[in-house]
Amino acid sequence: MTEQMTTTTSAATTCDPAVRVTKSLLAYGVIAGPLYVAVSLIEVFTRAGFDPTRHAWSMLSNGDRGWVHITNFLVSGLMTIAFAVGLRRVLGTGAGARWAPRLIGGYGVSLIAAGLLRADPGLGFPVGTPDGPGTISWHGYGHFAAGAIGFSCLIAACFVLARRFAAEGAAGWAWSSRVVGVVFGASFLGLTAGAGASWSLLAFTGAVLLVSGWQAAVAVNRYRRASH
């Protein structure tokens, strides 16, 4: 009798429409970061004239195939916002319940803004562009501003979620979130200070891979807890 009641309760939880919606929203968080990275890497190795030691990924928004990277920004941003909504639903109350989703959502909005406001061409990319930094247009400034705001939101989210994990007794998750926040923040500062130096571009690329993996891992963690 007890076993039957347990099975019935489990089935009811699994079929709960609210739980299904929450899990669907969280699933976008699993996809968003890896999708952006995968599409960008394909472009890095297939776009003529692109050099990852000289050109930031954002510059892929230029040229005949620029629409691919713009779409990548927009889709990833929308998925990240959906993840933020799911995160708000699953966190409920307690540490970070309000600010973590807001910060993740802010990062998602920044991705959309970065897609709509293209980084300027330069340094010989796309092919035919004069070699050199070139001039910065209004949308180029807008792109940089969107990136600065979005990355700041993402760094802050790492520490807010670290506090949440600590409150839940998940020390490993808490420390790893802090490490990701520190590494990503340092790489962003290095990119700003490096003025396009190869080391700063490569370090920031590695940090993007790291934080994208972290976001996906957090989404998986909350997805598994969505029915509890």
Side-chain angles (χ1 to χ4, degrees), residues 25-122:
L25 291 168
L26 291 170
Y28 284 113
V30 180
I31 300 170
L35 174 68
Y36 176 77
V37 168
V39 173
S40 297
L41 286 176
I42 290 172
E43 291 187 278
V44 165
F45 293 109
T46 59
R47 292 285 300 274
F50 189 87
D51 181 352
T53 66
R54 298 188 69 210
H55 306 130
W57 284 6
S58 294
M59 295 174 68
L60 290 164
S61 294
N62 296 288
D64 293 340
R65 289 168 53 190
W67 65 269
V68 175
H69 202 69
I70 292 172
T71 303
N72 194 22
F73 269 128
L74 300 180
V75 172
S76 298
L78 290 171
M79 286 184 172
T80 300
I81 293 171
F83 169 48
V85 175
L87 194 61
R88 179 67 188 92
R89 291 166 66 103
V90 78
L91 289 180
T93 59
R98 291 185 180 276
W99 276 106
R102 289 173 181 174
L103 291 166
I104 295 292
Y107 172 59
V109 171
S110 79
L111 287 172
I112 294 173
L116 297 175
L117 301 168
R118 284 186 300 108
D120 292 302

